[in-house]
Amino acid sequence: ANVTPGIQDYIDARRPIWESIIDTRTGLPWFTTRYGSQGTAIDFLNGSVLAPYKLLTATEGKSRPQIRRWRANVLGNVRLEEVPIVRENKWLRRLSLSGAVRWEDKASIGYYTFANDPNAYDPSRIIYDESRTYFDFGASYSGVKFWRDRITMRMQLNVRNAFEGGRLQAVGALPNGVPHSFRIVDPRLWILSASFDL
């Protein structure tokens, strides 16, 4: 919100100066001359300054598509001592099982450009990452007593992102849809913990 118009005013004021600079070694305009393997100054201005600025002003006041619009979390826990057929078993009734499902909606990772202007992003043509679903599981065992029944132990095993093998997930894409930035998604995580009551 409140994108300053001063940025465009500055570019408009400076551009005639940039375009008037002549490289004394070559006699060519500095603004459109390629030096070595680098692009030209006008390429940088169009691709790295004006294109993001145009997108910023075009999406001003709108919801950011990078933010996943919808998320849902569902979790459950079952203490086996509450299950009638298990209640009588002194070992199984100490066991609790839990599970969770986390879902998140698709998110933007970039924009395509206008068909008639390859230097301007089209805010209506969003490149999306797919929606994601993650599963967590857990089991805990409580009521184990030792040291003359003075200490009660509870063991818990949790698996976070149980079906995740680890991967790279695109978080940014070029205007042609090819991903250019990634984040590392960790593989499943096993957590074993123990707590004691004195």
Side-chain angles (χ1 to χ4, degrees), residues 80-89:
L80 293 188
E81 70 180 359
E82 296 175 357
V83 178
I85 59 174
V86 178
R87 188 177 299 142
E88 303 306 317
N89 186 302

Side-chain angles (χ1 to χ4, degrees), residues 88-105:
E88 303 306 317
N89 186 302
K90 68 177 184 176
W91 299 107
L92 288 180
R93 68 184 181 195
R94 296 177 180 174
L95 186 63
S96 293
L97 303 174
S98 62
V101 179
R102 293 174 285 119
W103 175 85
E104 55 189 21
D105 197 8

